[in-house]
Amino acid sequence: MTSAGTLTRPGLVLGQSMALRYALALAALVAALLFHLSLNSPLSLADQWGLLWGRPPESFEDFQFVYAALPRVILAVLVGAVMALVGSLLQQVTQNPLLSPMTLGAASGAWLALVCLSVWAPALTSDWGAWFALGGSIVSVVLVLLIAGRGGLSGLPVILAGMATHILMGAIATAIILLNQYATNNLFIWGAGDLTQTDWQWVTWLLPKLSVAVIVLLLAPRPLTLLRLGDAGAGARGLSTGPVLVVLLLLSLWLVASAITAVGVISFIGLITPNIARNLGARRAGDELVFSLLLGAVFLLLTDCIAVAASGWFPDMVPSGTAAALIGAPALIWFARKRLSARDQTALELPEGVPRVSRRTWLLAPVVLLALVLLSLCFKPDAFSFLHPLQSLRWPSDLVLSLRWPRIVTAACAGVGMALAGLILQRLIRNPLASPDILGMSAGATLALVLFTVFVGGSIHEAGPFVAFAGSAGVLGLLLVLGRRTQYSPGIMILVGISLAAMIEAMVQFVLAKATEDAYTIIGWLSGSTYRVSDAKALWLGGGTVILFGLALATSRWLTLISAGDAIAEARGLNTSRARLLLLVLVCACCALVTAIMGPIAFVGLLAPHVATLMGARKVWPQLWLAPLVGMVLMLFSDWLGWSLLYPKQMPAGTIAAILGGSYFIFLLARRRLR
């Protein structure tokens, strides 16, 4: 009897401790509800209680409480709870604590689908918006799974694949917005994740669609518990893991798509709250689901309280998604640094290519580059230019030449700068998937420029390279501090980049949500446009790129030795710490110069070194020459395609490069996985 009591005591203690945690979570939820309502309504608690129990509203404050404050607080509870539930479900299925709708790419796919629907069929948004968002999420997640594979779900491969897909989907959405400016004004606030309500429409629309969460809570705990035993252990107990994973994933995507359709994109809730739930003692599968759900509601309520309070300091309302990202990004780094070590590998590899660069390649690359320059100068676009291409080629007049040569110089130098930055980072970290946009270098420069515009004022084109360099240097300092403790873990550096990208997106959406005249100027600059580059800035970029390229050539020996390993480099007399710091400063300078003049450019720094490797440039010296050539070709072609394909409309070169480069990158990885 004593033995049995002793055996059951741990279970009783665990049950009592979880009951106490549930009670505390419910108390926190009630407190957050009351605090939120007190911020959003001047009514006393007694007046609010009377309205809840049926007293008809009479004053303006009564109507504001019933039709604005109350629907907002209910939406915050519903969306926060559902996003946290989905995050816990995804993390338990994959055993990956860094997975969420954001990092899996589901949110970006849903956002792209809703942008398309709002532009081309706005009348269908209310009835079919959730279904289109679900379709976009499925497409995005399938791409991520093709890249990462089943074996990559538990580590960094799925995070990297999700980020690549997120950049690609975002570039396509940006292109659609820029081409349909008058039809997308309302999307800026929606994209920022806004909980502001004026009636009960979205609550009544969303509530029945989120009833799927009850099915998840009832059916998911047992399969999730068995999945912790592994595929073999779960199969031995009668669980078919494949169908279970598909059903749970589809239910999760439906919940995410419904929430995004109602309130827009709100990041990090699904990432942070399951980690907090586990740290607070939620060990069983069902406990983690329910505890995450409660904490998600509390977290979004408190985040929305911060957004409401901060709105008093700004002339415009601060979106809830902006506040969630600014809080969640540091939290992502905090949780990640405890779980990732220096031995973390991405497990994603690109095709190897030919063993060496052929003479034909060295001759053909400059010819292609020259042909693109002549095409950009001599091509005269019109409605029939692609039907009769030879008739559209003519030597430009002085006026046309004065307009086009700054764009050509800017695009070519931007390709060189980003290719050099990507090449140096990949050699430094010895990681084939390192690039300025993934590691946050470009993100830091962009964030500094956007913050300068928001808080200092003036045009974003007036901030200059020094502000951009300060942003890149800030990211560099953060990488050095975090990298020293983790021996420069690729995982930590990549997650810093993801966090900064989310913060930048939140800040940009906050600026765009103001609906000012500068909104499209900012989004055009963020797309990497050569349209507004002046002669002087083009010359500055050209001269700076030449200097940086010369410095990169001078450090070729450092790159060769560091690529072989720190031990070998130090044995050859290289001070690896000093060399690494100087090379990182060189990367910062490249990113700052390009970003300040043209704007952020995605995928060029990642793809140019890989394409050079596929063409046979495996050693540092030939790669330092061939990768910039590839970057120039990609950017010149993107710039020409941007202003000629949809003439007289124009698309930014950075957006075209992100779409082309991202599609090619995903194709390479997916093809390797399928083989």
Side-chain angles (χ1 to χ4, degrees):
M1 192 72 178
T2 304
S3 175
T6 303
L7 290 174
T8 57
R9 189 172 300 157
L12 291 174
V13 173
L14 179 62
Q16 292 173 357
S17 64
M18 283 308 302
L20 178 61
R21 290 184 176 91
Y22 281 133
L24 292 175
L26 288 173
L29 179 59
V30 173
L33 279 168
L34 295 176
F35 182 57
H36 192 285
L37 289 175
S38 68
L39 280 178
N40 278 277
S41 175
L43 296 177
S44 65
L45 185 60
D47 291 334
Q48 293 179 5
W49 189 256
L51 290 169
L52 286 174
W53 283 97
R55 179 175 69 84
E58 299 174 354
S59 64
F60 171 79
E61 289 77 11
D62 292 346
F63 281 97
Q64 190 270 339
F65 174 78
V66 173
Y67 294 104
L70 203 56
R72 179 167 184 156
V73 77
I74 292 176
L75 265 185
V77 170
L78 291 175
V79 174
V82 163
M83 296 300 285
L85 175 67
V86 171
S88 177
L89 184 64
L90 292 175
Q91 290 179 18
Q92 291 191 67
V93 166
T94 60
Q95 298 298 305
N96 187 345
L98 300 177
L99 205 62
S100 72
M102 180 190 71
T103 53
L104 190 61
S108 57
W111 170 242
L112 174 59
L114 289 173
V115 168
C116 295
L117 188 64
S118 299
V119 170
W120 292 309
L124 301 178
T125 302
S126 59
D127 296 329
W128 297 93
W131 291 102
F132 275 85
L134 175 63
S137 297
I138 291 175
V139 171
S140 184
V141 170
V142 167
L143 283 176
V144 172
L145 295 179
L146 279 176
I147 297 172
R150 178 69 183 276
L153 291 178
S154 59
L156 280 175
V158 68
I159 306 298
L160 278 168
M163 186 174 184
T165 306
H166 173 76
I167 295 174
L168 175 61
M169 298 290 181
I172 298 174
T174 299
I176 295 173
I177 289 173
L178 288 174
L179 290 174
N180 301 272
Q181 296 184 5
Y182 297 105
T184 55
N185 286 328
N186 61 326
L187 292 178
F188 292 143
I189 298 178
W190 193 13
D194 189 31
L195 293 172
T196 303
Q197 300 297 306
T198 56
D199 53 34
W200 288 87
Q201 175 187 354
W202 282 112
V203 174
T204 56
W205 181 90
L206 186 61
L207 192 57
K209 293 174 174 59
L210 298 188
S211 59
V212 174
V214 178
I215 302 176
V216 173
L217 289 172
L218 293 175
L219 300 182
R222 182 179 180 274
L224 292 177
T225 302
L226 294 178
L227 283 173
R228 296 182 178 184
L229 304 175
D231 292 346
R237 287 161 177 78
L239 178 67
S240 179
T241 57
V244 169
L245 290 176
V246 171
V247 171
L248 291 178
L249 184 60
L250 287 176
L251 292 177
S252 301
L253 295 181
W254 170 256
L255 293 173
V256 171
S258 301
I260 291 177
T261 304
V263 301
V265 181
I266 297 180
S267 305
F268 288 109
I269 304 291
L271 178 63
I272 297 173
T273 46
N275 284 280
I276 297 176
R278 284 189 293 271
N279 287 339
L280 292 179
R283 298 289 180 263
R284 298 174 182 173
D287 288 336
E288 184 180 328
L289 289 175
V290 177
F291 207 47
S292 298
L293 182 146
L294 293 173
L295 291 177
V298 173
F299 186 83
L300 188 53
L301 278 172
L302 295 178
T303 301
D304 196 42
C305 288
I306 295 174
V308 172
S311 298
W313 297 89
F314 294 96
D316 301 281
M317 183 68 70
V318 176
S320 304
T322 300
L326 294 178
I327 296 172
L332 172 59
I333 300 174
W334 173 261
F335 285 117
R337 65 193 292 270
K338 292 185 175 182
R339 299 180 180 273
L340 297 175
S341 66
R343 294 184 176 85
D344 288 323
Q345 299 297 326
T346 60
L348 289 176
E349 297 179 357
L350 290 173
E352 296 180 354
V354 297
R356 57 178 298 179
V357 185
S358 64
R359 182 178 300 178
R360 180 182 178 184
T361 300
W362 286 119
L363 294 175
L364 188 61
V367 172
V368 173
L369 181 63
L370 180 61
L372 279 173
V373 171
L374 292 175
L375 184 65
S376 300
L377 286 174
C378 302
F379 186 78
K380 182 182 179 182
D382 55 45
F384 305 100
S385 56
F386 288 96
L387 298 178
H388 307 286
L390 295 179
Q391 298 179 10
S392 301
L393 294 176
R394 64 189 65 180
W395 188 254
S397 63
D398 292 341
L399 176 62
V400 173
L401 184 62
S402 66
L403 293 174
R404 290 186 182 178
W405 77 259
R407 300 185 62 165
I408 295 173
V409 171
T410 301
C413 292
V416 172
M418 299 309 291
L420 286 176
L423 170 59
I424 294 172
L425 282 175
Q426 290 174 16
R427 290 282 179 173
L428 271 180
I429 304 175
R430 295 185 284 275
N431 188 316
L433 295 175
S435 72
D437 45 315
I438 288 182
L439 294 187
M441 299 289 187
S442 298
T446 305
L447 182 60
L449 291 167
V450 172
L451 290 178
F452 179 88
T453 303
V454 173
F455 295 108
V456 178
S459 171
I460 199 167
H461 300 281
E462 299 173 358
F466 294 106
V467 175
F469 184 81
S472 291
V475 176
L476 171 61
L478 185 61
L479 289 175
L480 290 176
V481 170
L482 295 175
R484 185 176 301 173
R485 295 184 178 182
T486 59
Q487 302 177 27
Y488 298 98
S489 163
I492 285 291
M493 295 186 173
I494 288 167
L495 287 169
V496 168
I498 294 175
S499 302
L500 286 171
M503 291 179 64
I504 287 166
E505 188 172 353
M507 289 299 302
V508 170
Q509 292 294 348
F510 169 61
V511 175
L512 296 180
K514 296 179 179 181
T516 61
E517 296 179 358
D518 295 331
Y520 288 102
T521 301
I522 293 175
I523 197 173
W525 175 83
L526 289 168
S527 305
S529 176
T530 62
Y531 181 71
R532 294 179 179 269
V533 176
S534 63
D535 299 2
K537 288 186 177 181
L539 292 175
W540 269 102
L541 179 58
T545 303
V546 170
I547 294 173
L548 294 174
F549 179 65
L551 292 174
L553 292 177
T555 61
S556 60
R557 180 176 178 272
W558 296 0
L559 290 172
T560 301
L561 292 176
I562 290 178
S563 301
D566 288 355
I568 296 177
E570 291 175 357
R572 298 295 190 278
L574 179 65
N575 187 334
T576 55
S577 299
R578 185 178 63 181
R580 181 176 281 109
L581 177 60
L582 292 175
L583 287 170
L584 285 174
V585 170
L586 182 59
V587 171
C588 284
C590 290
C591 295
L593 185 63
V594 173
T595 305
I597 293 179
M598 185 175 174
I601 300 172
F603 285 114
V604 176
L606 177 65
L607 278 181
H610 283 300
V611 174
T613 303
L614 290 174
M615 298 167 69
R618 300 186 176 278
K619 296 182 179 180
V620 172
W621 186 257
Q623 203 173 25
L624 279 171
W625 287 94
L626 194 55
L629 280 173
V630 173
M632 292 172 72
V633 168
L634 177 58
M635 287 305 301
L636 284 172
F637 179 69
S638 299
D639 187 53
W640 173 78
L641 203 61
W643 62 262
S644 63
L645 184 62
L646 299 176
Y647 186 84
K649 293 183 177 181
Q650 296 193 31
M651 289 299 303
T655 298
I656 300 295
I659 295 173
L660 295 177
S663 302
Y664 182 63
F665 175 69
I666 291 176
F667 165 74
L668 285 178
L669 294 175
R671 184 184 66 173
R672 184 179 180 88
R673 178 66 60 186
L674 291 174
R675 286 182 176 179

